[in-house]
Amino acid sequence: MAGPKNPPFLNGVPELLVLQCLRERPMYGYELVQAIRAATGEHVVLAEGVVYPVLHMLEREGALSTERQTVNGRSRIYYALTEQGGTRLADLADTWRQLTTVIAGVLGEPRHA
Amino acid sequence: MAGPKNPPFLNGVPELLVLQCLRERPMYGYELVQAIRAATGEHVVLAEGVVYPVLHMLEREGALSTERQTVNGRSRIYYALTEQGGTRLADLADTWRQLTTVIAGVLGEPRHA
DNA sequence: CCGTATACCTAGCTGTGCTAGGTATGGCAA
DNA sequence: TTGCCATACCTAGCACAGCTAGGTATACGG
């Protein structure tokens, strides 16, 4: 119940992290959940209920392609970045960088001009 | 109609910017809207419909104190950071910096280990 | 044989941010 | 004087993202 709870302002961040992780290599959902957890050093922990819907949405919009595989009798759905997904990632990352830079400026600016 | 539209992932950012601006000096709502617009170089443009509710919420929770003033027959409500508000800003800014640092790491990490 | 890990999924709540309005005064221009 | 714009406040209600909290099914170890 009393989980660590993610910070309350990560709008679009799940999508960003999913795309970025898939840029490295194709992965399946369950794997992604842990990859994100690991990549952010536990700072961002996305439950499956967050990741799967994002995956479905990105596939529906053509950013990801899927391939079913069965490993050890277990069915996995591997998601891979499409070309369109690459573009989407680039755009998203760009916007993110811009935003954080701007806010860092506001936060850092010590006093009035 | 066809406004520039803010990036879709600024959860909690309005609150952060409001608190930060008020750290410099007390301001009234209408002033804040323009202050934020200016401080972010038009990158973040919060409508009044965003700012006022945040202001009310922060006052309700004791992060801001208010003082009515009439200037040129116009009534203004100045909001000032309380001590509690200062703490809240510090915490929020900290969380924000942590999050952005972590994500920058994931984004920047060029290839596998 | 049962619990845990793996692996997938969805319904529904909540809260934030935004849209799109509404009120009222002051000042300027036509 | 009659608009209209800027100032200055406000709210109702929509949209959507993310989270909670479930559910299904198989493999594997004790």
Side-chain angles (χ1 to χ4, degrees):
Chain A
M1 287 310 160
K5 204 91 171 287
N6 288 319
F9 37 64
L10 14 73
N11 231 333
V13 167
E15 180 185 331
L16 180 60
L17 291 175
V18 164
L19 288 171
Q20 174 66 28
C21 285
L22 292 179
R23 205 179 72 99
E24 316 265 328
R25 69 172 191 279
M27 295 171 98
Y28 53 100
Y30 195 80
E31 189 184 10
L32 250 173
V33 170
Q34 284 144 214
I36 291 174
R37 177 197 288 258
T40 62
E42 308 276 301
H43 277 97
V44 179
V45 179
L46 302 179
E48 299 171 35
V50 176
V51 171
Y52 285 115
V54 169
L55 249 16
H56 300 158
M57 181 270 288
L58 287 173
E59 189 202 359
R60 204 186 323 124
E61 303 196 359
L64 301 179
S65 62
T66 60
E67 192 192 344
R68 291 200 101 91
Q69 276 186 30
T70 300
V71 179
N72 289 349
R74 284 158 192 286
S75 179
R76 295 177 178 169
I77 304 175
Y78 280 84
Y79 292 86
L81 218 60
T82 64
E83 195 180 338
Q84 195 191 126
T87 307
R88 183 165 181 147
L89 170 57
D91 289 350
L92 213 58
D94 223 59
T95 311
W96 171 260
R97 270 185 276 261
Q98 259 191 22
L99 177 67
T100 52
T101 302
V102 166
I103 295 187
V106 177
L107 252 38
E109 213 139 33
R111 14 240 107 263
H112 43 76
Chain B
M1 289 309 154
K5 203 87 170 291
N6 287 320
F9 38 65
L10 13 74
N11 233 330
V13 168
E15 179 185 331
L16 180 60
L17 291 175
V18 163
L19 288 171
Q20 174 66 26
C21 284
L22 292 180
R23 204 179 73 98
E24 316 265 327
R25 67 172 192 282
M27 295 172 97
Y28 53 99
Y30 195 79
E31 189 186 8
L32 250 174
V33 170
Q34 283 144 216
I36 290 173
R37 177 196 288 258
T40 62
E42 308 274 303
H43 277 98
V44 179
V45 179
L46 303 179
E48 300 172 34
V50 176
V51 171
Y52 284 114
V54 170
L55 250 16
H56 299 158
M57 181 270 287
L58 287 174
E59 190 203 357
R60 204 186 322 123
E61 303 197 359
L64 301 179
S65 63
T66 60
E67 193 192 343
R68 291 199 102 91
Q69 276 187 30
T70 300
V71 179
N72 289 348
R74 283 158 192 286
S75 179
R76 294 176 180 170
I77 303 176
Y78 280 85
Y79 291 86
L81 218 61
T82 63
E83 196 181 337
Q84 194 190 126
T87 307
R88 183 164 180 145
L89 170 57
D91 289 349
L92 213 59
D94 224 58
T95 310
W96 172 260
R97 269 185 278 259
Q98 258 191 22
L99 177 68
T100 52
T101 302
V102 166
I103 295 186
V106 176
L107 251 40
E109 213 140 30
R111 13 242 108 265
H112 44 75

